[in-house]
Amino acid sequence: MRIEYLEETSSTNEYIRRYLGGGENVIVCAARQTGGKGTKGRSFSSKEGGVYLSVLTFYDKFPASQAFRIMAHAAVSVCRTAEAFGVTPQIKWANDVLVGNRKLCGILIENELSGGFVRASIVGIGVNAENDLSDVKDVAVSLSEAAGRRISAEVAREELIKNFQTEETFEDYLSYVRFLGKKVTVSESGREYSATARRITEDGRLEIDDGERIRELSSAEISLKLS
């Protein structure tokens, strides 16, 4: 897989789109982004000292119904990277990687679909390594802070690339999910309610028991707060 390194770009996800017509798997890394994007159109802080990369992968007959595997793979790659530096991570459904209750990274996935199949995916990952998080210290954490020692962005980046290119199973994803069987707060359609998280299905839905019935939720429809 070809790897390209940039000092600066607006967004690695946007930059890597130039390779969509080529058919070659590519990784693009940047030291900083001026217009980093998060989920649901949010901006993603991309100061120097973080890991910012996007991976373009092409597929042959990969059913769109299994697209959650792409998200799960990205989250597991970040978790394995954290563990390599002695940090204990957990996944908050669907793909937030936390240390304690603070976010370690951001993941943004953009899939190119054709005829019910994923033709290609762009997986953007930003991991806090040694960047300044003083303005978001209550909600975000860096590898360096969590590990209690300096972990450079370059070292963290190479570890993440290695882990991203390693296979995993759905059980590996579930092994980092620590809230199943516990009470969570669900925000859905402007209201909040308590429910018990029962399981995550292989297509990425969260099964909950809200006290009245058992049902499955899509991450596109709701947000989740852990106790």
Side-chain angles (χ1 to χ4, degrees):
M1 182 178 287
R2 185 157 64 89
I3 304 176
E4 183 173 352
Y5 298 94
L6 306 171
E7 280 301 309
E8 181 178 288
T9 188
S10 60
S11 160
T12 56
N13 266 31
E14 288 300 320
Y15 182 93
I16 208 169
R17 284 187 167 277
R18 66 188 61 195
Y19 299 118
L20 273 170
E24 178 187 12
N25 295 343
V26 181
I27 298 176
V28 171
C29 311
R32 55 192 172 274
Q33 298 179 120
T34 58
K37 299 187 302 179
T39 56
K40 300 179 181 178
R42 301 185 186 99
S43 63
F44 182 80
S45 177
S46 306
K47 298 177 182 178
E48 194 154 356
V51 177
Y52 314 112
L53 62 81
S54 293
V55 185
L56 171 61
T57 305
F58 290 90
Y59 302 97
D60 182 29
K61 299 297 183 182
F62 180 31
S65 60
Q66 299 178 22
F68 183 73
R69 288 167 47 191
I70 299 171
M71 184 181 293
H73 175 69
V76 170
S77 299
V78 174
C79 287
R80 287 175 169 168
T81 299
E83 288 179 328
F85 300 107
V87 175
T88 301
Q90 66 169 321
I91 294 174
K92 186 187 86 170
W93 179 79
N95 66 350
D96 283 342
V97 178
L98 309 180
V99 176
N101 286 314
R102 293 187 288 167
K103 288 187 67 171
L104 179 64
C105 77
I107 298 173
L108 177 63
I109 297 174
E110 299 173 286
N111 293 324
E112 298 285 322
L113 305 178
S114 176
F117 294 93
V118 180
R119 183 182 76 86
S121 69
I122 296 173
V123 178
I125 304 176
V127 179
N128 301 318
E130 54 178 337
N131 41 319
D132 179 13
L133 299 173
S134 56
D135 54 342
V136 288
K137 62 182 180 181
D138 292 335
V139 295
V141 65
S142 68
L143 281 173
S144 295
E145 180 185 354
R149 59 189 173 90
R150 177 179 178 262
I151 297 170
S152 73
E154 292 78 10
V155 170
R157 181 186 65 211
E158 296 310 306
E159 183 67 28
L160 177 60
I161 290 173
K162 180 189 75 174
N163 288 316
F164 194 91
Q165 296 181 89
T166 302
E167 295 294 325
E168 91 294 319
T169 65
F170 186 64
E171 285 68 33
D172 291 324
Y173 171 84
L174 292 178
S175 72
Y176 293 107
V177 177
R178 314 202 193 278
F179 65 87
L180 296 181
K182 299 179 181 179
K183 289 286 187 180
V184 296
T185 301
V186 180
S187 298
E188 181 182 18
S189 303
R191 69 185 183 97
E192 287 193 350
Y193 58 92
S194 180
T196 300
R198 289 169 53 91
R199 70 185 184 103
I200 297 173
T201 65
E202 290 204 23
D203 65 354
R205 292 181 176 271
L206 175 65
E207 183 181 276
I208 63 164
D209 182 348
D210 63 10
E212 296 181 359
R213 60 190 174 112
I214 294 171
R215 59 197 182 99
E216 294 178 355
L217 304 176
S218 164
S219 61
E221 300 166 353
I222 68 109
S223 62
L224 198 69
K225 294 179 183 178
L226 305 185
S227 300

